[in-house]
Amino acid sequence: MVAKFTLAGGTQQLSVCLAERLGGECVRLNSPVTAIRQGDDGVEVRTASESFTCKVVIVTCPPHMAAKLQYQPPLPAERQLLCQHMPVGHMIKFIVTYPTAFWREKGFSGEIVTRPSNNCPFSVTFDATSPSGSAALVGFIAGLQAYDWSSRKLEERRDAVVASLVRYLGPEASSFIHYVEKDWAQEAYSGGCPVNVMVPGMLTYFHPSLRRPFGRIHWAGTETATKWCGYMSGAIQSGHRVALEVLARLSPHKLSQEEKEAARGPDQPHARSDLWSHVICYTPFPVTLTLTVITLGATLLLVKPQLRSDLIGQMVAWLPKY
């Protein structure tokens, strides 16, 4: 079961309220950052028309977007690999509004989970009726289906969505008021939705670099969350975590001991390049010991009898000490 929460007035209020608390003069709109240059005394952040200096920088955009910035000095190799090998998903969100929530009247929840096909573009829908009672259904066209359907005309997607809703909820679904959609792949500063994902191998060896500060640069954003990664909850968690990191760096006296511990974050084992050392490091002891015995046993079968006898003798002498 997925818990769904709505915010009366829309979630954009979060950004608006934060901007008001900071003060309008502190927020720059239409000023995308192009370069970040670190020095001994601080950081210089450049846009197309302005330059700012500060003590630290927090980068919250998705990894594949952060990779497009110019860094001096260049990012560490691990961070570059993360940025280059964390593609973002493809998702189209649509909302269909109706005169009434007819699905509720018929005893339906409005939630549809289905396998997308040539006729049905979406994979899931939810009841998006507003707190004021405006009836609506929200749904998502995701993955390969989003890639396929994004090349078609809006009217074709709309008609396919409505026809599928009729199939599942009844003929009332055809009497909609309005259809609107958002293809995040067309957004210049996100490039997709809902979250960047790591290709095979990246999570195993390079995940710690996702949150590890680089000099005066700290990383946030929902991709760096330890819970609800990809969701707004994850974005908020990452903001709280990075705020504690920066305060611990600039004004540690303002933090409680508990906050200082939280700023350090969970212990992150060092990424290893060879598979065997990785297995030894991350595997529970009983499993590790079993793997070691199996490996040694296989090795003994391949050596000469005399050498095998000597090795067994050394192992027997070693075990009590262990």
Side-chain angles (χ1 to χ4, degrees):
M1 179 180 293
V2 177
K4 183 169 70 73
F5 301 94
T6 57
L7 181 64
T11 54
Q12 180 64 16
Q13 293 176 100
L14 296 174
S15 301
V16 172
C17 290
L18 285 172
E20 290 176 350
R21 294 185 64 178
L22 289 171
E25 70 281 359
C26 296
V27 180
R28 292 287 200 278
L29 300 178
N30 300 313
S31 302
V33 173
T34 59
I36 300 176
R37 182 184 182 90
Q38 299 192 64
D40 294 334
D41 301 325
V43 189
E44 179 187 15
V45 179
R46 298 177 183 175
T47 69
S49 58
E50 296 180 279
S51 178
F52 305 89
T53 57
C54 52
K55 294 181 180 179
V56 298
V57 170
I58 299 174
V59 177
T60 64
C61 58
H64 74 289
M65 300 300 297
K68 297 181 180 181
L69 304 180
Q70 297 179 5
Y71 297 90
Q72 185 60 41
L75 292 176
E78 288 186 359
R79 182 72 198 188
Q80 292 184 37
L81 283 171
L82 278 174
C83 291
Q84 296 167 4
H85 295 86
M86 285 188 66
V88 68
H90 192 174
M91 186 175 284
I92 301 172
K93 178 180 180 179
F94 61 84
I95 299 177
V96 189
T97 55
Y98 289 93
T100 62
F102 65 88
W103 53 92
R104 294 185 179 183
E105 299 169 0
K106 300 175 72 171
F108 296 149
S109 67
E111 181 172 340
I112 303 170
V113 180
T114 183
R115 182 176 182 178
S117 64
N118 291 332
N119 297 323
C120 178
F122 62 77
S123 56
V124 65
T125 68
F126 299 98
D127 187 334
T129 301
S130 69
S132 63
S134 297
L137 292 171
V138 61
F140 299 92
I141 306 171
L144 292 176
Q145 283 67 37
Y147 177 80
D148 176 41
W149 284 85
S150 64
S151 62
R152 308 188 192 188
K153 294 181 179 180
L154 183 148
E155 292 78 12
E156 186 177 356
R157 286 192 299 273
R158 179 199 62 198
D159 293 346
V161 166
V162 173
S164 298
L165 292 175
V166 169
R167 187 178 309 117
Y168 288 109
L169 300 176
E172 298 89 342
S174 63
S175 301
F176 63 95
I177 298 174
H178 185 59
Y179 174 93
V180 64
E181 64 178 29
K182 168 67 74 173
D183 185 349
W184 276 291
Q186 304 302 319
E187 291 293 306
Y189 298 112
S190 64
C193 186
V195 66
N196 293 76
V197 293
M198 292 186 177
V199 301
M202 300 303 293
L203 182 64
T204 302
Y205 298 108
F206 300 106
H207 186 260
S209 299
L210 192 59
R211 290 185 293 272
R212 183 182 298 141
F214 170 51
R216 296 177 179 271
I217 301 176
H218 292 252
W219 311 100
T222 188
E223 287 82 9
T224 69
T226 57
K227 292 182 179 179
W228 292 106
C229 173
Y231 291 81
M232 288 183 62
S233 298
I236 293 173
Q237 185 217 48
S238 77
H240 185 260
R241 184 262 308 162
V242 80
L244 290 178
E245 281 183 8
V246 172
L247 284 173
R249 179 174 191 159
L250 301 180
S251 304
H253 59 282
K254 295 183 178 180
L255 299 180
S256 65
Q257 186 59 37
E258 183 179 354
E259 289 174 327
K260 291 178 181 178
E261 292 294 333
R264 293 192 184 98
D267 292 334
Q268 298 176 343
H270 178 69
R272 296 171 180 266
S273 58
D274 61 288
L275 179 59
W276 177 246
S277 61
H278 174 78
V279 170
I280 294 296
C281 178
Y282 293 99
T283 308
F285 173 73
V287 179
T288 301
L289 183 58
T290 302
L291 290 172
T292 303
V293 171
I294 292 174
T295 303
L296 289 175
T299 303
L300 290 174
L301 292 175
L302 300 176
V303 300
K304 295 180 179 180
Q306 182 59 45
L307 180 57
R308 184 188 308 160
S309 177
D310 293 341
L311 288 174
I312 292 176
Q314 293 178 15
M315 289 174 61
V316 171
W318 170 76
L319 284 174
K321 297 178 183 180
Y322 190 80

